[in-house]
Amino acid sequence: MDLKRVVNSVYNEIKPSIGKGKVADYIPALANIPINKFGIAVKTNDGNIYSAGDINEPFSIQSISKVLLLTLAMDFIGDDIWNRVGREPSGNPFNSLVQLERENGIPRNPFINAGSLVITDMVISHSNDAKKLLLDFVRNLSNNPSVNYDFEVAQSEKEHGFRNAALANFMKSYGNIENQVELVLDYYFHHCSLSMSCIDLVNTFSYLANSGIDVNSGKRILSKELNQRVNSLMLTCGLYDAVGDFAYRVGLPAKSGVGGGIITVVPNEMIIAVWSPGLDKVGNSVIGIDALEKFVKLTNKSIF
Ligand code: GLU
């Protein structure tokens, strides 16, 4: 398959629609991101990268960071994480509070905000310097020492993150947050603020498509079994309450973020990163999903 041609076709087909959707403005520092951006990068398990558009421009990865935190927590704790977080799609918005009360402070899955706050808490409990741990992890995987938190975005979310504060406090009242709420929120806002490009993302997440082994270094990041499970969770919970629609249109494990990025896994073959900041109502990149749908149509790479 000529992936260079496929990626260029996707780019050319998407080009007229660039600018669709609405930039996330509930985090004020994200409101000024120009909407007319689009990038697509594909990294195959043999190490080749095919790309088009704004692929070197760093953007706020937001909820895509939840995959990194889950990877660290699974590696530290293994299956015991499921005592504190579920693994079912929520069918509710990513920042919803309603289910938590009915379900006694146990979030539905690690990719909604409540679930990621619990995972974030676990990682803090297992490291002396969680921010440094994550930064070292991402810099190594991306092979880019300049990857960093965007402190302005983190601060902006801290100042406006009342709902996340409510979620964390609520779960603390059920005993499902171990560390100080302020500490957990601070780390959560920082990991969401990680600023990375499409190229950084395909380098970082290549292990997801490669049975848990980083393609560049050959280093094992997760066991084959745990890696499979992260992919399963992405398939069932990775796109908020639009996960069914995404499975219908694309049919691959993926994780989106409100910065407009989406990482998508073709198991045992390749990892794809797309970015376009215009979002739909549930918080997924409009053009990003269109691009992935076109990619799958051209390559027939859905897992179904
Ligand atoms: N930091 C964002 C929040 O907590 C992440 C949301 C997202 O990307 O889904 O609202």
Side-chain angles (χ1 to χ4, degrees), residues 273-289:
V274 290
W275 172 53
S276 186
L279 307 180
D280 60 20
K281 282 203 179 75
V282 299
N284 294 318
S285 171
V286 177
I287 304 295
I289 295 183

Side-chain angles (χ1 to χ4, degrees), residues 96-142:
S96 169
L97 275 149
V98 289
Q99 248 160 13
L100 266 186
E101 181 160 25
R102 277 200 310 269
E103 298 178 6
N104 302 319
I106 306 286
R108 273 287 171 103
N109 68 65
F111 293 146
I112 50 173
N113 288 9
S116 184
L117 285 162
V118 172
I119 299 287
T120 298
D121 182 50
M122 290 175 183
V123 173
I124 294 174
S125 297
H126 278 78
S127 81
N128 297 329
D129 185 343
K131 279 188 197 160
K132 182 173 180 308
L133 171 91
L134 179 63
L135 219 45
D136 289 347
F137 185 60
V138 182
R139 284 176 175 170
N140 275 332
L141 284 173
S142 62

